[in-house]
Amino acid sequence: MKWRNFNVCCTSVAILASLLVPRSVPASAAPPEHTAAQSIQFNMYGNEGLLGPEHYNEDVAEHVLGRLQARPNIYTISLNEICFSQWSYLYTNYFAGKDFVALAQWAHPNLNTACGGFGNVVLVRGTSATWWSAGTFSTQGSSTNHGEHKGWACLTTNYFGISGCAAHTQGADHAKANVQIGQLASVVTPLVQANHALWVAGDFNLRPWQPSTTSWLMTWYYVLFREGDYPRMQSPAKRSTNDYGSPIDYVFRRPATTAGAAYISGTMYSDHHGYQMYN
């Protein structure tokens, strides 16, 4: 295992690489929607995260662990609003000994003693990173969600050159969120030009087709990528991805070929739903 630390625009960034082969799960152990090749997006923390006596939702890490164990054919994973302590739990109990490379953007260096760092983690199948980028967006809103600096983490691995990104953009300020995903687009452009398999996922806090999001979300991402819930992308048909009826989480993929409908399911451990895109 390799651990490397960086400071990117006031953000602590860590790279983890584990070099072993993943444990396989028999096809009979899970329904077909779980065993299919897929990418996963999940905002772990949400509003539920501050309800426990230790000020973070410890059960959500166990919930995510169970989902991962039932899904043996994952290519990329995007986790938003994840505590360092939750990431440590998942690493110790699942990712250690798996062929994934992980990059973390700690958007808050130390939320509290139970949580530790707080931000985004992207995981991509492979044994080493060949390129990575992480940082905070240059434009930040006034609502920082407990001091979180919204940002991204992207990496490419040696597994056929596939790439993945995890991002969290501004809530309650659509104009700033739109600027932020435009900045993310500039980070992702070299990966698009490389013409390798690429997934860009995250909690974008933007609905499709609303006027303030049309510029980047609809004319860049939807043109160059295929979104996981593409058959339902026309607003308001795109399905909700959180408890408030908002379709604000996305998984975009290149090449933009036809894929099966996404599997989106609610959970009691976060105010966001689990989101699986079939590859």
Side-chain angles (χ1 to χ4, degrees):
M1 183 189 76
K2 301 177 182 178
W3 180 286
R4 297 162 69 178
N5 290 304
F6 299 86
N7 288 317
V8 180
C9 187
C10 309
T11 302
S12 175
V13 179
I15 289 182
L16 289 167
S18 78
L19 307 178
L20 302 181
V21 177
R23 179 184 62 184
S24 62
V25 176
S28 60
E33 64 266 22
H34 298 344
T35 58
Q38 63 190 262
S39 294
I40 290 178
Q41 155 64 24
F42 186 47
N43 183 318
M44 289 182 60
Y45 200 83
N47 295 334
E48 297 295 329
L50 296 178
L51 295 181
E54 294 181 317
H55 306 294
Y56 80 106
N57 186 354
E58 57 188 4
D59 295 330
V60 71
E62 297 180 13
H63 169 73
V64 171
L65 174 63
R67 291 198 167 205
L68 294 173
Q69 290 171 332
R71 292 160 173 80
N73 203 9
I74 301 171
Y75 281 75
T76 68
I77 303 169
S78 166
L79 299 173
N80 313 129
E81 296 191 35
I82 179 173
C83 291
F84 178 81
S85 56
Q86 294 166 335
W87 163 243
S88 297
Y89 175 88
L90 292 175
Y91 180 78
T92 300
N93 290 281
Y94 184 78
F95 288 109
K98 301 290 190 294
D99 61 343
F100 281 94
V101 184
L103 175 64
Q105 179 249 344
W106 298 120
H108 188 293
N110 189 13
L111 183 64
N112 54 52
T113 56
C115 181
F118 178 72
N120 300 294
V121 172
V122 63
L123 298 109
V124 180
R125 183 177 288 190
T127 58
S128 63
T130 59
W131 174 90
W132 59 85
S133 172
T136 57
F137 296 117
S138 58
T139 299
Q140 297 286 325
S142 58
S143 174
T144 60
N145 192 20
H146 315 293
E148 177 192 4
H149 298 283
K150 299 296 191 294
W152 76 90
C154 300
L155 63 85
T156 302
T157 74
N158 63 341
Y159 186 76
F160 299 103
I162 68 173
S163 303
C165 292
H168 191 197
T169 65
Q170 187 65 43
D173 190 331
H174 297 153
K176 284 189 171 62
N178 193 53
V179 171
Q180 290 170 351
I181 65 167
Q183 185 176 347
L184 178 63
S186 67
V187 173
V188 171
T189 292
L191 303 178
V192 173
Q193 294 171 339
N195 205 30
H196 290 166
L198 163 65
W199 291 265
V200 179
D203 173 6
F204 286 176
N205 278 306
L206 295 169
R207 296 170 177 264
W209 298 111
Q210 66 187 42
S212 59
T213 71
T214 300
S215 177
W216 281 109
L217 187 64
M218 301 310 300
T219 63
W220 199 85
Y221 288 93
Y222 270 112
V223 169
L224 295 180
F225 293 78
R226 176 61 53 88
E227 210 273 317
D229 206 23
Y230 180 81
R232 300 176 177 85
M233 80 172 201
Q234 296 290 340
S235 180
K238 177 176 165 60
R239 288 173 290 178
S240 169
T241 60
N242 68 11
D243 292 347
Y244 312 108
S246 298
I248 59 175
D249 297 81
Y250 298 83
V251 182
F252 289 102
R253 186 193 70 179
R254 278 185 64 84
T257 53
T258 302
Y263 178 81
I264 301 172
S265 58
T267 168
M268 63 183 293
Y269 301 108
S270 173
D271 63 342
H272 284 255
H273 301 342
Y275 194 150
Q276 298 167 215
M277 179 186 188
Y278 302 119
N279 299 333

